[in-house]
Amino acid sequence: MRLLVIGNGMAGARLVGEVRARDKDIKITVFGAETWQPYNRVLLSNVLAGSSGPDQVRLLDPTWYGEHDVEAFLGTRAVQIDRETRTVISEDGRRTPYDVLVLATGSQAIVPPIPGVDRAVPFRTLDDCQAILAASRTSARAVVIGGGLLGIEAARGLAGRGLPVTLLHLADHLMERQLDAEAGLVLGETLAGLGVEIRTGVSAAEILPEGVRLADGTLAEGDLVVLACGVRPETELAEQAGLEVRRGVVVDDELRTDDPAVFAIGECAEHDGVVYGLVAPAWEQASVVADVITGAAKDARYRGSRLVTRLKAKSVELAAMGETHLTEEHAEVVRFSHRAKGTYRKLVIRDGRLVGAILLGESAAVGTLTQLFDRGGPLPGDRAGLLFPGLSGAPVADSPVRMPDSAKVCQCNNVTKGQIRACWESGARDVTAVAAATRATTGCGTCRDAVEGIVGWLCEQEGVSA
Ligand SMILES: Cc1cc2nc3c(=O)[nH]c(=O)nc-3n(C[C@H](O)[C@H](O)[C@H](O)COP(=O)(O)OP(=O)(O)OC[C@H]3O[C@@H](n4cnc5c(N)ncnc54)[C@H](O)[C@@H]3O)c2cc1C
């Protein structure tokens, strides 16, 4: 069988590895438009902030393709799919035949059609990240357009490097898709305390050498302008090939498009009406497709993902999950706000189950609430105890001791406490060894402390029983 993968980002690279791990014989070819070896895009925010180096985000070793008999064309864009002859044509004129084709083309950064926009740098790729870093060395002030997750991470990263930053956002509060108005306000105040000037409810009209002119005529000064205005699924090839495309390339539970020989995964795919913008679904989809096409688990199916968003910005703790916008009319809402401390916590409960949560500011409750949200099981009656673990003197529920083996610890790679324990039982004694065996911590990295806690606790137990 000949497998051809278009796109060598987080979904495509994972798929190639998963297929090869299951089947040594399938002929695999991958086209990647970027010249880089596959890298962890999620960690670009850390590169911008200086907490990871560009060489620490690599997903595969340069020698991996040769060692695993995978033909990789990096820096080569696929430009046409001929479904009649089952051939893909790449920009170098090569025609590559396939039996199974997987589209993993991701998304494109949205570039607003305003005058002077080519003076700004989008924030999507490692090249973009390096361009922003290079410009930041000679800039006096930065403006970031877009107050979603990415824009906030970019703004915080640049401010952490000592550059004064203004963050512009069209909506009335930051991260309006994940946060309610009060959480957005508290987040804005926290960021302001860290050197990011926030301007919400504003629209960029033009990018000038001295800054961004807003629709109200005022100027947000800055000689470096970063765009974080959202993304659009990269579906052009699929559209040209006549595949069904709505927002993304439409796929079923096997991740198959309306052509049975063509699959789509990651941010270019639309499953059950949803286009996901996080890595966990992309990696889960890659695993399902690998099972299906190699026959390793023919009945593997993707049923959708429950999303937990965590901000990766130094000194700003934020996790948001599920339906955070439901009001008292439709759900039970438990809320605590202490603006002066940058704290906001909200639980949204329906039929006794957690359907949404916002946790802003340091909180020991994140792990427990993420598990409760993930499992969708009934909640304990003590709501205050959920928001303030340890309040009633009870042990913190997400301590390694109390956490059930089924609790998901690494959201990106879907790794449970039970898997970490099994890995420990087979000899792993530190996070690096657990990461090598389970991949826990290798996505966004925010579960590192939790994994460390579990490994430390298991080692302590060993000491106690020895
Ligand atoms: C700065 C930043 C921070 C993020 N933080 C988080 C986070 O904390 N948590 C989280 O879950 N997610 C985060 N994300 C989102 C996450 O990175 C994406 O969800 C993930 O990368 C999607 O994987 P993908 O393979 O679908 O797309 P991509 O990783 O974008 O890969 C698609 C690849 O396909 C290539 N391609 C496109 N068209 C063609 C073609 N015609 N021929 C050949 N190659 C082609 C592209 O060049 C690209 O390399 C972040 C994203 C960014 C940019």
Side-chain angles (χ1 to χ4, degrees), residues 6-12 31-34 41-42 44-45 76-78 104-107 123-124 149-150 153 234 237 265-268 277-280 282 310 312 412 444:
I6 304 181
N8 204 20
M10 297 195 74
F31 284 96
E34 293 182 76
R41 195 175 304 284
V42 168
L44 291 184
S45 302
T76 310
R77 180 172 287 276
T105 48
S107 301
F123 183 32
R124 175 75 192 173
L149 183 94
L150 226 65
E153 289 183 359
E234 177 61 78
L237 274 182
I265 57 172
E267 283 191 3
C268 69
L278 294 175
V279 74
R310 290 193 74 164
K312 307 180 300 304
C412 297
C444 73

Side-chain angles (χ1 to χ4, degrees), residues 80-129:
Q80 197 190 329
I81 303 165
D82 182 342
R83 292 201 287 134
E84 287 278 301
T85 59
R86 293 200 174 167
T87 309
V88 165
I89 302 157
S90 43
E91 60 185 346
D92 54 0
R94 184 185 303 269
R95 301 178 73 90
T96 309
Y98 67 84
D99 299 304
V100 172
L101 173 65
V102 180
L103 302 175
T105 48
S107 301
Q108 272 179 14
I110 292 177
V111 176
I114 53 174
V117 77
D118 49 3
R119 289 198 181 92
V121 194
F123 183 32
R124 175 75 192 173
T125 65
L126 187 49
D127 283 337
D128 295 338
C129 192

Side-chain angles (χ1 to χ4, degrees), residues 234-295:
E234 177 61 78
T235 57
E236 202 183 322
L237 274 182
E239 276 170 71
Q240 279 172 7
L243 295 167
E244 187 186 357
V245 174
R246 285 187 220 133
R247 241 196 98 217
V249 185
V250 177
V251 292
D252 62 15
D253 289 359
E254 286 186 318
L255 287 318
R256 226 183 265 271
T257 66
D258 52 338
D259 177 340
V262 184
F263 294 73
I265 57 172
E267 283 191 3
C268 69
E270 176 175 328
H271 174 265
D272 205 10
V274 184
V275 175
Y276 293 98
L278 294 175
V279 74
W283 281 351
E284 204 182 326
Q285 292 170 358
S287 166
V288 170
V289 171
D291 278 339
V292 170
I293 63 183
T294 60

Side-chain angles (χ1 to χ4, degrees), residues 141-148 150-156 165-169 174 191 196-200 202 228:
R141 188 175 182 96
V143 179
V144 176
I145 307 181
L150 226 65
I152 292 171
E153 289 183 359
R156 174 66 187 109
V165 182
T166 305
L167 177 62
L168 307 176
H169 192 46
L174 297 175
L191 289 166
V196 180
E197 185 199 351
I198 310 286
R199 296 188 63 180
T200 53
V202 294

Side-chain angles (χ1 to χ4, degrees), residues 41 45 83 94 96 106 139 152 154 178 214 233 241 255 260 307 325 328 354 371 426-427 430 452:
R41 195 175 304 284
S45 302
R83 292 201 287 134
R94 184 185 303 269
T96 309
S139 298
I152 292 171
Q178 293 91 354
L214 303 177
L255 287 318
L307 295 186
H325 291 288
E328 274 85 354
L354 187 66
Q371 290 162 36
S426 39
D430 57 24
E452 219 159 54

Side-chain angles (χ1 to χ4, degrees), residues 135-369:
S136 71
R137 286 182 202 112
T138 54
S139 298
R141 188 175 182 96
V143 179
V144 176
I145 307 181
L149 183 94
L150 226 65
I152 292 171
E153 289 183 359
R156 174 66 187 109
L158 290 170
R161 286 178 175 271
L163 204 62
V165 182
T166 305
L167 177 62
L168 307 176
H169 192 46
L170 189 60
D172 287 334
H173 68 268
L174 297 175
M175 288 181 68
E176 76 283 0
R177 279 168 56 197
Q178 293 91 354
L179 303 184
D180 61 20
E182 189 167 356
L185 195 74
V186 179
L187 175 61
E189 288 171 353
T190 304
L191 289 166
L194 294 165
V196 180
E197 185 199 351
I198 310 286
R199 296 188 63 180
T200 53
V202 294
S203 154
E206 183 174 7
I207 299 177
L208 304 164
E210 63 273 23
V212 178
R213 192 173 55 76
L214 303 177
D216 64 6
T218 59
L219 183 76
E221 274 180 52
D223 45 359
L224 164 62
V225 180
V226 176
L227 299 175
C229 305
V231 294
R232 180 181 302 119
E234 177 61 78
T235 57
E236 202 183 322
L237 274 182
E239 276 170 71
Q240 279 172 7
L243 295 167
E244 187 186 357
V245 174
R246 285 187 220 133
R247 241 196 98 217
V249 185
V250 177
V251 292
D252 62 15
D253 289 359
E254 286 186 318
L255 287 318
R256 226 183 265 271
T257 66
D258 52 338
D259 177 340
V262 184
F263 294 73
I265 57 172
E267 283 191 3
C268 69
E270 176 175 328
H271 174 265
D272 205 10
V274 184
V275 175
Y276 293 98
L278 294 175
V279 74
W283 281 351
E284 204 182 326
Q285 292 170 358
S287 166
V288 170
V289 171
D291 278 339
V292 170
I293 63 183
T294 60
K298 282 205 177 80
D299 55 353
R301 297 291 180 270
Y302 176 72
R303 305 284 187 203
S305 300
R306 289 168 79 80
L307 295 186
V308 179
T309 304
R310 290 193 74 164
L311 192 70
K312 307 180 300 304
K314 195 167 169 219
S315 314
V316 193
E317 295 294 328
L318 171 64
M321 55 201 93
E323 302 174 64
T324 55
H325 291 288
L326 288 183
T327 60
E328 274 85 354
E329 270 171 48
H330 303 103
E332 178 190 342
V333 179
V334 185
R335 211 184 330 238
F336 172 82
S337 175
H338 187 180
R339 279 174 60 179
K341 293 257 316 165
T343 302
Y344 182 82
R345 298 179 194 172
K346 177 180 185 179
L347 303 181
V348 183
I349 299 159
R350 204 169 41 202
D351 303 327
R353 286 158 212 281
L354 187 66
V355 295
I358 300 172
L359 295 158
L360 176 55
E362 198 74 42
S363 169
V366 176
T368 311
L369 291 172

